[in-house]
PDB file of all heavy atoms in Angstrom:
ATOM      1  N   LEU A  11     -12.370   6.565   5.912  1.00 97.00           N
ATOM      2  CA  LEU A  11     -11.364   5.828   5.136  1.00 97.00           C
ATOM      3  C   LEU A  11     -11.889   4.901   4.166  1.00 97.00           C
ATOM      4  O   LEU A  11     -12.059   3.711   4.496  1.00 97.00           O
ATOM      5  CB  LEU A  11     -10.224   5.207   6.030  1.00 97.00           C
ATOM      6  CG  LEU A  11      -9.708   6.039   7.161  1.00 97.00           C
ATOM      7  CD1 LEU A  11      -8.627   5.282   7.858  1.00 97.00           C
ATOM      8  CD2 LEU A  11      -9.060   7.305   6.566  1.00 97.00           C
ATOM      9  N   GLY A  12     -12.097   5.297   2.961  1.00 97.00           N
ATOM     10  CA  GLY A  12     -12.789   4.525   1.966  1.00 97.00           C
ATOM     11  C   GLY A  12     -12.109   4.767   0.617  1.00 97.00           C
ATOM     12  O   GLY A  12     -10.865   4.873   0.456  1.00 97.00           O
ATOM     13  N   GLY A  13     -12.837   4.434  -0.473  1.00 96.00           N
ATOM     14  CA  GLY A  13     -12.333   4.581  -1.820  1.00 96.00           C
ATOM     15  C   GLY A  13     -11.679   5.971  -2.199  1.00 96.00           C
ATOM     16  O   GLY A  13     -10.691   5.990  -2.825  1.00 96.00           O
ATOM     17  N   GLY A  14     -12.348   6.986  -1.546  1.00 95.00           N
ATOM     18  CA  GLY A  14     -11.763   8.246  -1.797  1.00 95.00           C
ATOM     19  C   GLY A  14     -10.256   8.441  -1.212  1.00 95.00           C
ATOM     20  O   GLY A  14      -9.472   9.199  -1.709  1.00 95.00           O
ATOM     21  N   THR A  15     -10.177   7.788  -0.065  1.00 97.00           N
ATOM     22  CA  THR A  15      -8.940   7.784   0.620  1.00 97.00           C
ATOM     23  C   THR A  15      -7.803   7.166  -0.075  1.00 97.00           C
ATOM     24  O   THR A  15      -6.700   7.629  -0.280  1.00 97.00           O
ATOM     25  CB  THR A  15      -8.978   7.118   2.024  1.00 97.00           C
ATOM     26  OG1 THR A  15     -10.149   7.650   2.746  1.00 97.00           O
ATOM     27  CG2 THR A  15      -7.742   7.324   2.840  1.00 97.00           C
ATOM     28  N   PHE A  16      -8.120   5.964  -0.691  1.00 98.00           N
ATOM     29  CA  PHE A  16      -7.262   5.193  -1.494  1.00 98.00           C
ATOM     30  C   PHE A  16      -6.782   5.966  -2.781  1.00 98.00           C
ATOM     31  O   PHE A  16      -5.629   6.167  -2.957  1.00 98.00           O
ATOM     32  CB  PHE A  16      -7.849   3.919  -1.930  1.00 98.00           C
ATOM     33  CG  PHE A  16      -7.116   3.168  -3.074  1.00 98.00           C
ATOM     34  CD1 PHE A  16      -5.757   2.689  -2.843  1.00 98.00           C
ATOM     35  CD2 PHE A  16      -7.800   2.968  -4.266  1.00 98.00           C
ATOM     36  CE1 PHE A  16      -5.174   2.173  -3.950  1.00 98.00           C
ATOM     37  CE2 PHE A  16      -7.221   2.382  -5.350  1.00 98.00           C
ATOM     38  CZ  PHE A  16      -5.784   1.945  -5.147  1.00 98.00           C
ATOM     39  N   LEU A  17      -7.880   6.526  -3.481  1.00 96.00           N
ATOM     40  CA  LEU A  17      -7.466   7.356  -4.605  1.00 96.00           C
ATOM     41  C   LEU A  17      -6.706   8.554  -4.418  1.00 96.00           C
ATOM     42  O   LEU A  17      -5.757   8.929  -5.013  1.00 96.00           O
ATOM     43  CB  LEU A  17      -8.665   7.705  -5.455  1.00 96.00           C
ATOM     44  CG  LEU A  17      -8.525   8.451  -6.805  1.00 96.00           C
ATOM     45  CD1 LEU A  17      -7.522   7.674  -7.643  1.00 96.00           C
ATOM     46  CD2 LEU A  17      -9.783   8.588  -7.417  1.00 96.00           C
ATOM     47  N   GLY A  18      -7.130   9.270  -3.289  1.00 97.00           N
ATOM     48  CA  GLY A  18      -6.377  10.574  -2.850  1.00 97.00           C
ATOM     49  C   GLY A  18      -5.040  10.296  -2.497  1.00 97.00           C
ATOM     50  O   GLY A  18      -4.119  10.948  -2.926  1.00 97.00           O
ATOM     51  N   LEU A  19      -4.650   9.156  -1.734  1.00 98.00           N
ATOM     52  CA  LEU A  19      -3.331   8.879  -1.306  1.00 98.00           C
ATOM     53  C   LEU A  19      -2.569   8.435  -2.597  1.00 98.00           C
ATOM     54  O   LEU A  19      -1.327   8.864  -2.709  1.00 98.00           O
ATOM     55  CB  LEU A  19      -3.362   7.691  -0.348  1.00 98.00           C
ATOM     56  CG  LEU A  19      -3.799   7.983   1.003  1.00 98.00           C
ATOM     57  CD1 LEU A  19      -3.797   6.735   1.911  1.00 98.00           C
ATOM     58  CD2 LEU A  19      -2.785   9.079   1.698  1.00 98.00           C
ATOM     59  N   CYS A  20      -3.127   7.686  -3.463  1.00 98.00           N
ATOM     60  CA  CYS A  20      -2.388   7.296  -4.733  1.00 98.00           C
ATOM     61  C   CYS A  20      -2.033   8.494  -5.666  1.00 98.00           C
ATOM     62  O   CYS A  20      -0.942   8.654  -6.110  1.00 98.00           O
ATOM     63  CB  CYS A  20      -3.159   6.322  -5.446  1.00 98.00           C
ATOM     64  SG  CYS A  20      -3.234   4.608  -4.621  1.00 98.00           S
ATOM     65  N   CYS A  21      -2.950   9.488  -5.701  1.00 97.00           N
ATOM     66  CA  CYS A  21      -2.629  10.568  -6.487  1.00 97.00           C
ATOM     67  C   CYS A  21      -1.562  11.377  -5.905  1.00 97.00           C
ATOM     68  O   CYS A  21      -0.663  11.936  -6.612  1.00 97.00           O
ATOM     69  CB  CYS A  21      -4.018  11.544  -6.596  1.00 97.00           C
ATOM     70  SG  CYS A  21      -5.356  10.854  -7.539  1.00 97.00           S
ATOM     71  N   LEU A  22      -1.563  11.617  -4.483  1.00 97.00           N
ATOM     72  CA  LEU A  22      -0.499  12.292  -3.866  1.00 97.00           C
ATOM     73  C   LEU A  22       0.854  11.525  -3.975  1.00 97.00           C
ATOM     74  O   LEU A  22       1.951  12.103  -4.244  1.00 97.00           O
ATOM     75  CB  LEU A  22      -0.776  12.447  -2.411  1.00 97.00           C
ATOM     76  CG  LEU A  22      -1.756  13.589  -2.052  1.00 97.00           C
ATOM     77  CD1 LEU A  22      -2.194  13.369  -0.519  1.00 97.00           C
ATOM     78  CD2 LEU A  22      -1.214  14.943  -2.337  1.00 97.00           C
ATOM     79  N   LEU A  23       0.823  10.171  -3.790  1.00 97.00           N
ATOM     80  CA  LEU A  23       2.091   9.444  -3.747  1.00 97.00           C
ATOM     81  C   LEU A  23       2.663   8.999  -4.991  1.00 97.00           C
ATOM     82  O   LEU A  23       3.956   8.766  -5.168  1.00 97.00           O
ATOM     83  CB  LEU A  23       1.920   8.183  -2.747  1.00 97.00           C
ATOM     84  CG  LEU A  23       1.526   8.489  -1.286  1.00 97.00           C
ATOM     85  CD1 LEU A  23       1.101   7.249  -0.595  1.00 97.00           C
ATOM     86  CD2 LEU A  23       2.686   9.197  -0.563  1.00 97.00           C
ATOM     87  N   THR A  24       1.846   8.716  -6.024  1.00 97.00           N
ATOM     88  CA  THR A  24       2.274   8.155  -7.209  1.00 97.00           C
ATOM     89  C   THR A  24       2.109   9.062  -8.420  1.00 97.00           C
ATOM     90  O   THR A  24       2.682   8.781  -9.440  1.00 97.00           O
ATOM     91  CB  THR A  24       1.502   6.868  -7.488  1.00 97.00           C
ATOM     92  OG1 THR A  24       0.177   7.174  -7.918  1.00 97.00           O
ATOM     93  CG2 THR A  24       1.524   5.978  -6.270  1.00 97.00           C
ATOM     94  N   GLY A  25       1.281  10.119  -8.279  1.00 97.00           N
ATOM     95  CA  GLY A  25       1.031  11.000  -9.468  1.00 97.00           C
ATOM     96  C   GLY A  25      -0.068  10.432 -10.335  1.00 97.00           C
ATOM     97  O   GLY A  25      -0.291  11.108 -11.376  1.00 97.00           O
ATOM     98  N   CYS A  26      -0.756   9.262  -9.989  1.00 97.00           N
ATOM     99  CA  CYS A  26      -1.782   8.774 -10.967  1.00 97.00           C
ATOM    100  C   CYS A  26      -2.985   9.747 -10.802  1.00 97.00           C
ATOM    101  O   CYS A  26      -3.022  10.617  -9.983  1.00 97.00           O
ATOM    102  CB  CYS A  26      -2.159   7.376 -10.512  1.00 97.00           C
ATOM    103  SG  CYS A  26      -2.979   7.273  -9.030  1.00 97.00           S
ATOM    104  N   SER A  27      -4.006   9.631 -11.715  1.00 93.00           N
ATOM    105  CA  SER A  27      -5.141  10.555 -11.737  1.00 93.00           C
ATOM    106  C   SER A  27      -6.446   9.929 -11.799  1.00 93.00           C
ATOM    107  O   SER A  27      -7.441  10.406 -11.664  1.00 93.00           O
ATOM    108  CB  SER A  27      -5.087  11.435 -12.946  1.00 93.00           C
ATOM    109  OG  SER A  27      -4.918  10.742 -14.154  1.00 93.00           O
ATOM    110  N   THR A  28      -6.478   8.492 -12.021  1.00 93.00           N
ATOM    111  CA  THR A  28      -7.736   7.809 -12.015  1.00 93.00           C
ATOM    112  C   THR A  28      -7.760   6.543 -11.110  1.00 93.00           C
ATOM    113  O   THR A  28      -6.661   6.011 -10.692  1.00 93.00           O
ATOM    114  CB  THR A  28      -8.060   7.344 -13.446  1.00 93.00           C
ATOM    115  OG1 THR A  28      -7.150   6.308 -13.837  1.00 93.00           O
ATOM    116  CG2 THR A  28      -8.051   8.472 -14.401  1.00 93.00           C
ATOM    117  N   PHE A  29      -8.957   6.141 -10.785  1.00 94.00           N
ATOM    118  CA  PHE A  29      -9.128   4.909  -9.986  1.00 94.00           C
ATOM    119  C   PHE A  29      -8.445   3.654 -10.516  1.00 94.00           C
ATOM    120  O   PHE A  29      -7.739   2.890  -9.928  1.00 94.00           O
ATOM    121  CB  PHE A  29     -10.601   4.750  -9.429  1.00 94.00           C
ATOM    122  CG  PHE A  29     -10.740   3.632  -8.566  1.00 94.00           C
ATOM    123  CD1 PHE A  29     -10.456   3.702  -7.313  1.00 94.00           C
ATOM    124  CD2 PHE A  29     -11.384   2.430  -9.026  1.00 94.00           C
ATOM    125  CE1 PHE A  29     -10.681   2.675  -6.313  1.00 94.00           C
ATOM    126  CE2 PHE A  29     -11.576   1.333  -8.222  1.00 94.00           C
ATOM    127  CZ  PHE A  29     -11.201   1.504  -6.978  1.00 94.00           C
ATOM    128  N   GLU A  30      -8.782   3.576 -11.900  1.00 94.00           N
ATOM    129  CA  GLU A  30      -8.341   2.459 -12.620  1.00 94.00           C
ATOM    130  C   GLU A  30      -6.780   2.367 -12.563  1.00 94.00           C
ATOM    131  O   GLU A  30      -6.091   1.432 -12.546  1.00 94.00           O
ATOM    132  CB  GLU A  30      -8.850   2.360 -14.037  1.00 94.00           C
ATOM    133  CG  GLU A  30     -10.335   2.088 -14.161  1.00 94.00           C
ATOM    134  CD  GLU A  30     -11.185   3.306 -13.770  1.00 94.00           C
ATOM    135  OE1 GLU A  30     -10.671   4.524 -13.657  1.00 94.00           O
ATOM    136  OE2 GLU A  30     -12.318   3.106 -13.430  1.00 94.00           O
ATOM    137  N   GLU A  31      -6.172   3.490 -12.810  1.00 97.00           N
ATOM    138  CA  GLU A  31      -4.673   3.601 -12.829  1.00 97.00           C
ATOM    139  C   GLU A  31      -4.080   3.280 -11.507  1.00 97.00           C
ATOM    140  O   GLU A  31      -3.080   2.510 -11.365  1.00 97.00           O
ATOM    141  CB  GLU A  31      -4.266   5.113 -13.229  1.00 97.00           C
ATOM    142  CG  GLU A  31      -2.739   5.214 -13.406  1.00 97.00           C
ATOM    143  CD  GLU A  31      -2.292   6.616 -13.808  1.00 97.00           C
ATOM    144  OE1 GLU A  31      -3.265   7.464 -13.914  1.00 97.00           O
ATOM    145  OE2 GLU A  31      -1.124   6.828 -13.932  1.00 97.00           O
ATOM    146  N   ALA A  32      -4.748   3.706 -10.372  1.00 97.00           N
ATOM    147  CA  ALA A  32      -4.360   3.420  -9.052  1.00 97.00           C
ATOM    148  C   ALA A  32      -4.381   1.873  -8.848  1.00 97.00           C
ATOM    149  O   ALA A  32      -3.428   1.361  -8.253  1.00 97.00           O
ATOM    150  CB  ALA A  32      -5.147   4.106  -8.036  1.00 97.00           C
ATOM    151  N   LEU A  33      -5.488   1.230  -9.206  1.00 97.00           N
ATOM    152  CA  LEU A  33      -5.599  -0.171  -9.011  1.00 97.00           C
ATOM    153  C   LEU A  33      -4.587  -0.903  -9.902  1.00 97.00           C
ATOM    154  O   LEU A  33      -4.034  -1.942  -9.312  1.00 97.00           O
ATOM    155  CB  LEU A  33      -7.005  -0.696  -9.517  1.00 97.00           C
ATOM    156  CG  LEU A  33      -8.158  -0.525  -8.500  1.00 97.00           C
ATOM    157  CD1 LEU A  33      -9.449  -1.023  -9.154  1.00 97.00           C
ATOM    158  CD2 LEU A  33      -7.886  -1.117  -7.227  1.00 97.00           C
ATOM    159  N   GLU A  34      -4.254  -0.456 -10.973  1.00 97.00           N
ATOM    160  CA  GLU A  34      -3.249  -1.099 -11.884  1.00 97.00           C
ATOM    161  C   GLU A  34      -1.768  -1.032 -11.172  1.00 97.00           C
ATOM    162  O   GLU A  34      -1.206  -2.000 -11.182  1.00 97.00           O
ATOM    163  CB  GLU A  34      -3.116  -0.551 -13.268  1.00 97.00           C
ATOM    164  CG  GLU A  34      -1.892  -0.951 -14.165  1.00 97.00           C
ATOM    165  CD  GLU A  34      -2.029  -2.345 -14.499  1.00 97.00           C
ATOM    166  OE1 GLU A  34      -3.124  -2.991 -14.444  1.00 97.00           O
ATOM    167  OE2 GLU A  34      -0.982  -2.924 -14.798  1.00 97.00           O
ATOM    168  N   LEU A  35      -1.510   0.123 -10.686  1.00 98.00           N
ATOM    169  CA  LEU A  35      -0.172   0.221  -9.955  1.00 98.00           C
ATOM    170  C   LEU A  35      -0.255  -0.709  -8.752  1.00 98.00           C
ATOM    171  O   LEU A  35       0.783  -1.320  -8.476  1.00 98.00           O
ATOM    172  CB  LEU A  35      -0.160   1.674  -9.482  1.00 98.00           C
ATOM    173  CG  LEU A  35       0.152   2.708 -10.403  1.00 98.00           C
ATOM    174  CD1 LEU A  35       0.158   4.177  -9.827  1.00 98.00           C
ATOM    175  CD2 LEU A  35       1.588   2.554 -11.037  1.00 98.00           C
ATOM    176  N   ALA A  36      -1.289  -0.736  -8.059  1.00 97.00           N
ATOM    177  CA  ALA A  36      -1.438  -1.554  -6.792  1.00 97.00           C
ATOM    178  C   ALA A  36      -1.200  -3.041  -7.107  1.00 97.00           C
ATOM    179  O   ALA A  36      -0.584  -3.775  -6.312  1.00 97.00           O
ATOM    180  CB  ALA A  36      -2.769  -1.366  -6.033  1.00 97.00           C
ATOM    181  N   SER A  37      -1.707  -3.440  -8.253  1.00 95.00           N
ATOM    182  CA  SER A  37      -1.665  -4.844  -8.669  1.00 95.00           C
ATOM    183  C   SER A  37      -0.183  -5.315  -8.945  1.00 95.00           C
ATOM    184  O   SER A  37       0.011  -6.499  -8.845  1.00 95.00           O
ATOM    185  CB  SER A  37      -2.576  -5.071  -9.941  1.00 95.00           C
ATOM    186  OG  SER A  37      -1.935  -4.575 -10.984  1.00 95.00           O
ATOM    187  N   ARG A  38       0.610  -4.307  -9.134  1.00 96.00           N
ATOM    188  CA  ARG A  38       2.082  -4.635  -9.450  1.00 96.00           C
ATOM    189  C   ARG A  38       3.024  -4.353  -8.281  1.00 96.00           C
ATOM    190  O   ARG A  38       4.286  -4.526  -8.441  1.00 96.00           O
ATOM    191  CB  ARG A  38       2.415  -3.903 -10.766  1.00 96.00           C
ATOM    192  CG  ARG A  38       1.737  -4.381 -12.034  1.00 96.00           C
ATOM    193  CD  ARG A  38       2.322  -3.726 -13.209  1.00 96.00           C
ATOM    194  NE  ARG A  38       1.607  -2.408 -13.437  1.00 96.00           N
ATOM    195  CZ  ARG A  38       2.314  -1.271 -13.523  1.00 96.00           C
ATOM    196  NH1 ARG A  38       3.555  -1.191 -13.088  1.00 96.00           N
ATOM    197  NH2 ARG A  38       1.575  -0.133 -13.788  1.00 96.00           N
ATOM    198  N   GLY A  39       2.399  -4.003  -7.106  1.00 96.00           N
ATOM    199  CA  GLY A  39       3.266  -3.564  -5.983  1.00 96.00           C
ATOM    200  C   GLY A  39       3.354  -4.611  -4.950  1.00 96.00           C
ATOM    201  O   GLY A  39       2.686  -5.668  -4.947  1.00 96.00           O
ATOM    202  N   GLU A  40       4.106  -4.249  -3.938  1.00 95.00           N
ATOM    203  CA  GLU A  40       4.254  -5.176  -2.788  1.00 95.00           C
ATOM    204  C   GLU A  40       4.225  -4.259  -1.504  1.00 95.00           C
ATOM    205  O   GLU A  40       5.176  -3.504  -1.277  1.00 95.00           O
ATOM    206  CB  GLU A  40       5.710  -5.816  -2.867  1.00 95.00           C
ATOM    207  CG  GLU A  40       6.048  -6.773  -1.660  1.00 95.00           C
ATOM    208  CD  GLU A  40       4.895  -7.740  -1.344  1.00 95.00           C
ATOM    209  OE1 GLU A  40       4.724  -8.655  -2.214  1.00 95.00           O
ATOM    210  OE2 GLU A  40       4.240  -7.594  -0.315  1.00 95.00           O
ATOM    211  N   SER A  41       3.298  -4.497  -0.669  1.00 95.00           N
ATOM    212  CA  SER A  41       3.041  -3.630   0.359  1.00 95.00           C
ATOM    213  C   SER A  41       3.953  -3.817   1.464  1.00 95.00           C
ATOM    214  O   SER A  41       4.220  -2.939   2.368  1.00 95.00           O
ATOM    215  CB  SER A  41       1.538  -3.698   0.882  1.00 95.00           C
ATOM    216  OG  SER A  41       1.296  -5.024   1.324  1.00 95.00           O
ATOM    217  N   THR A  42       4.568  -5.054   1.576  1.00 93.00           N
ATOM    218  CA  THR A  42       5.469  -5.329   2.761  1.00 93.00           C
ATOM    219  C   THR A  42       6.709  -4.450   2.740  1.00 93.00           C
ATOM    220  O   THR A  42       7.387  -4.476   3.744  1.00 93.00           O
ATOM    221  CB  THR A  42       5.807  -6.869   2.758  1.00 93.00           C
ATOM    222  OG1 THR A  42       6.394  -7.121   1.489  1.00 93.00           O
ATOM    223  CG2 THR A  42       4.589  -7.709   3.018  1.00 93.00           C
ATOM    224  N   GLN A  43       6.958  -3.831   1.569  1.00 91.00           N
ATOM    225  CA  GLN A  43       8.092  -2.915   1.451  1.00 91.00           C
ATOM    226  C   GLN A  43       7.772  -1.548   2.181  1.00 91.00           C
ATOM    227  O   GLN A  43       8.723  -0.895   2.618  1.00 91.00           O
ATOM    228  CB  GLN A  43       8.447  -2.658  -0.002  1.00 91.00           C
ATOM    229  CG  GLN A  43       8.903  -3.869  -0.856  1.00 91.00           C
ATOM    230  CD  GLN A  43      10.000  -4.617  -0.280  1.00 91.00           C
ATOM    231  OE1 GLN A  43      11.071  -4.008   0.000  1.00 91.00           O
ATOM    232  NE2 GLN A  43       9.895  -5.938  -0.150  1.00 91.00           N
ATOM    233  N   VAL A  44       6.597  -1.365   2.212  1.00 96.00           N
ATOM    234  CA  VAL A  44       6.096   0.000   2.844  1.00 96.00           C
ATOM    235  C   VAL A  44       5.631  -0.182   4.369  1.00 96.00           C
ATOM    236  O   VAL A  44       5.948   0.642   5.131  1.00 96.00           O
ATOM    237  CB  VAL A  44       4.970   0.518   2.025  1.00 96.00           C
ATOM    238  CG1 VAL A  44       4.393   1.945   2.582  1.00 96.00           C
ATOM    239  CG2 VAL A  44       5.392   0.717   0.621  1.00 96.00           C
ATOM    240  N   ASP A  45       4.818  -1.244   4.605  1.00 96.00           N
ATOM    241  CA  ASP A  45       4.349  -1.499   5.879  1.00 96.00           C
ATOM    242  C   ASP A  45       5.379  -2.076   6.865  1.00 96.00           C
ATOM    243  O   ASP A  45       6.193  -2.965   6.383  1.00 96.00           O
ATOM    244  CB  ASP A  45       3.073  -2.334   5.785  1.00 96.00           C
ATOM    245  CG  ASP A  45       2.002  -1.789   5.043  1.00 96.00           C
ATOM    246  OD1 ASP A  45       1.930  -0.521   4.951  1.00 96.00           O
ATOM    247  OD2 ASP A  45       1.195  -2.493   4.365  1.00 96.00           O
ATOM    248  N   LYS A  46       5.343  -1.881   8.145  1.00 95.00           N
ATOM    249  CA  LYS A  46       6.037  -2.446   9.199  1.00 95.00           C
ATOM    250  C   LYS A  46       5.185  -3.747   9.619  1.00 95.00           C
ATOM    251  O   LYS A  46       4.086  -3.501  10.093  1.00 95.00           O
ATOM    252  CB  LYS A  46       6.332  -1.634  10.330  1.00 95.00           C
ATOM    253  CG  LYS A  46       7.182  -2.210  11.346  1.00 95.00           C
ATOM    254  CD  LYS A  46       7.771  -1.159  12.337  1.00 95.00           C
ATOM    255  CE  LYS A  46       8.708  -0.268  11.754  1.00 95.00           C
ATOM    256  NZ  LYS A  46       9.376   0.604  12.774  1.00 95.00           N
ATOM    257  N   LEU A  47       5.764  -4.931   9.534  1.00 93.00           N
ATOM    258  CA  LEU A  47       5.053  -6.071   9.932  1.00 93.00           C
ATOM    259  C   LEU A  47       5.416  -6.518  11.370  1.00 93.00           C
ATOM    260  O   LEU A  47       6.352  -5.998  11.982  1.00 93.00           O
ATOM    261  CB  LEU A  47       5.464  -7.247   8.943  1.00 93.00           C
ATOM    262  CG  LEU A  47       5.249  -6.909   7.489  1.00 93.00           C
ATOM    263  CD1 LEU A  47       5.584  -8.162   6.741  1.00 93.00           C
ATOM    264  CD2 LEU A  47       3.869  -6.419   7.129  1.00 93.00           C
ATOM    265  N   VAL A  48       4.617  -7.482  11.951  1.00 93.00           N
ATOM    266  CA  VAL A  48       5.012  -7.921  13.282  1.00 93.00           C
ATOM    267  C   VAL A  48       6.330  -8.471  13.372  1.00 93.00           C
ATOM    268  O   VAL A  48       7.093  -8.330  14.295  1.00 93.00           O
ATOM    269  CB  VAL A  48       3.886  -9.032  13.601  1.00 93.00           C
ATOM    270  CG1 VAL A  48       4.364  -9.752  14.855  1.00 93.00           C
ATOM    271  CG2 VAL A  48       2.565  -8.422  13.877  1.00 93.00           C
ATOM    272  N   ARG A  49       6.760  -9.227  12.283  1.00 91.00           N
ATOM    273  CA  ARG A  49       8.261  -9.713  12.249  1.00 91.00           C
ATOM    274  C   ARG A  49       9.328  -8.656  12.265  1.00 91.00           C
ATOM    275  O   ARG A  49      10.445  -9.022  12.736  1.00 91.00           O
ATOM    276  CB  ARG A  49       8.364 -10.773  11.232  1.00 91.00           C
ATOM    277  CG  ARG A  49       8.269 -10.190   9.813  1.00 91.00           C
ATOM    278  CD  ARG A  49       8.692 -11.264   8.796  1.00 91.00           C
ATOM    279  NE  ARG A  49       8.433 -10.754   7.409  1.00 91.00           N
ATOM    280  CZ  ARG A  49       7.601 -11.099   6.553  1.00 91.00           C
ATOM    281  NH1 ARG A  49       6.590 -12.032   7.110  1.00 91.00           N
ATOM    282  NH2 ARG A  49       7.485 -10.671   5.334  1.00 91.00           N
ATOM    283  N   ASP A  50       8.892  -7.531  11.730  1.00 89.00           N
ATOM    284  CA  ASP A  50       9.934  -6.349  11.642  1.00 89.00           C
ATOM    285  C   ASP A  50      10.157  -5.880  13.217  1.00 89.00           C
ATOM    286  O   ASP A  50      11.162  -5.269  13.433  1.00 89.00           O
ATOM    287  CB  ASP A  50       9.335  -5.236  10.779  1.00 89.00           C
ATOM    288  CG  ASP A  50       9.305  -5.748   9.293  1.00 89.00           C
ATOM    289  OD1 ASP A  50      10.125  -6.527   8.915  1.00 89.00           O
ATOM    290  OD2 ASP A  50       8.450  -5.115   8.580  1.00 89.00           O
ATOM    291  N   ILE A  51       9.234  -6.169  14.014  1.00 89.00           N
ATOM    292  CA  ILE A  51       9.386  -5.645  15.382  1.00 89.00           C
ATOM    293  C   ILE A  51       9.793  -6.814  16.424  1.00 89.00           C
ATOM    294  O   ILE A  51      10.630  -6.503  17.167  1.00 89.00           O
ATOM    295  CB  ILE A  51       7.941  -5.191  15.837  1.00 89.00           C
ATOM    296  CG1 ILE A  51       7.420  -3.879  14.939  1.00 89.00           C
ATOM    297  CG2 ILE A  51       8.072  -4.727  17.359  1.00 89.00           C
ATOM    298  CD1 ILE A  51       6.092  -3.486  15.258  1.00 89.00           C
ATOM    299  N   TYR A  52       9.263  -8.004  16.152  1.00 89.00           N
ATOM    300  CA  TYR A  52       9.530  -9.084  17.040  1.00 89.00           C
ATOM    301  C   TYR A  52      10.610 -10.066  16.495  1.00 89.00           C
ATOM    302  O   TYR A  52      10.966 -11.014  17.171  1.00 89.00           O
ATOM    303  CB  TYR A  52       8.219  -9.787  17.498  1.00 89.00           C
ATOM    304  CG  TYR A  52       7.404  -9.081  18.458  1.00 89.00           C
ATOM    305  CD1 TYR A  52       6.327  -8.153  17.992  1.00 89.00           C
ATOM    306  CD2 TYR A  52       7.637  -9.207  19.774  1.00 89.00           C
ATOM    307  CE1 TYR A  52       5.658  -7.424  18.904  1.00 89.00           C
ATOM    308  CE2 TYR A  52       6.745  -8.504  20.680  1.00 89.00           C
ATOM    309  CZ  TYR A  52       5.805  -7.630  20.274  1.00 89.00           C
ATOM    310  OH  TYR A  52       5.147  -6.883  21.252  1.00 89.00           O
ATOM    311  N   GLY A  53      10.814 -10.083  15.202  1.00 88.00           N
ATOM    312  CA  GLY A  53      11.667 -10.900  14.710  1.00 88.00           C
ATOM    313  C   GLY A  53      11.093 -12.117  14.225  1.00 88.00           C
ATOM    314  O   GLY A  53      11.692 -13.140  13.773  1.00 88.00           O
ATOM    315  N   GLY A  54       9.778 -12.220  14.410  1.00 90.00           N
ATOM    316  CA  GLY A  54       8.934 -13.409  14.118  1.00 90.00           C
ATOM    317  C   GLY A  54       7.449 -13.199  14.463  1.00 90.00           C
ATOM    318  O   GLY A  54       7.042 -12.138  14.609  1.00 90.00           O
ATOM    319  N   ASP A  55       6.831 -14.395  14.936  1.00 85.00           N
ATOM    320  CA  ASP A  55       5.583 -14.128  15.383  1.00 85.00           C
ATOM    321  C   ASP A  55       5.400 -13.648  16.792  1.00 85.00           C
ATOM    322  O   ASP A  55       6.490 -13.744  17.598  1.00 85.00           O
ATOM    323  CB  ASP A  55       4.950 -15.685  15.485  1.00 85.00           C
ATOM    324  CG  ASP A  55       4.878 -16.275  14.080  1.00 85.00           C
ATOM    325  OD1 ASP A  55       4.991 -15.520  13.175  1.00 85.00           O
ATOM    326  OD2 ASP A  55       4.727 -17.566  13.977  1.00 85.00           O
ATOM    327  N   TYR A  56       4.340 -13.071  17.115  1.00 86.00           N
ATOM    328  CA  TYR A  56       3.960 -12.715  18.508  1.00 86.00           C
ATOM    329  C   TYR A  56       3.082 -13.752  19.085  1.00 86.00           C
ATOM    330  O   TYR A  56       1.833 -13.524  18.990  1.00 86.00           O
ATOM    331  CB  TYR A  56       3.383 -11.263  18.548  1.00 86.00           C
ATOM    332  CG  TYR A  56       3.204 -10.633  19.908  1.00 86.00           C
ATOM    333  CD1 TYR A  56       3.672 -11.253  21.165  1.00 86.00           C
ATOM    334  CD2 TYR A  56       2.561  -9.287  19.975  1.00 86.00           C
ATOM    335  CE1 TYR A  56       3.604 -10.698  22.314  1.00 86.00           C
ATOM    336  CE2 TYR A  56       2.478  -8.779  21.326  1.00 86.00           C
ATOM    337  CZ  TYR A  56       2.984  -9.418  22.444  1.00 86.00           C
ATOM    338  OH  TYR A  56       2.812  -8.756  23.651  1.00 86.00           O
TER     339      TYR A  56
END
C-alpha cells in the first residue's frame, strides 16, 4: 500500500488521471466524512 495505491484509488473514485491532480483534490477534501472515527463508535474517546 504505497503511492501506486493512492493514485489507483483516486483514479477509480474521482476520475483523476495524474498524481498531481490527486494531491490537489486531497488538499481540498475532508477525510472525516469518509472514515469512521473512534467517536463515531464510542460517542467520544476510548
Side-chain angles (χ1 to χ4, degrees):
L11 305 183
T15 310
F16 165 64
L17 180 55
L19 287 174
C20 286
C21 290
L22 283 171
L23 297 172
T24 73
C26 71
S27 57
T28 68
F29 184 73
E30 289 76 15
E31 186 180 356
L33 280 182
E34 173 60 25
L35 288 170
S37 70
R38 294 185 274 113
E40 178 53 70
S41 60
T42 56
Q43 303 299 315
V44 180
D45 298 333
K46 182 172 289 188
L47 308 181
V48 168
R49 64 171 175 253
D50 296 326
I51 300 174
Y52 285 90
D55 300 341
Y56 189 4

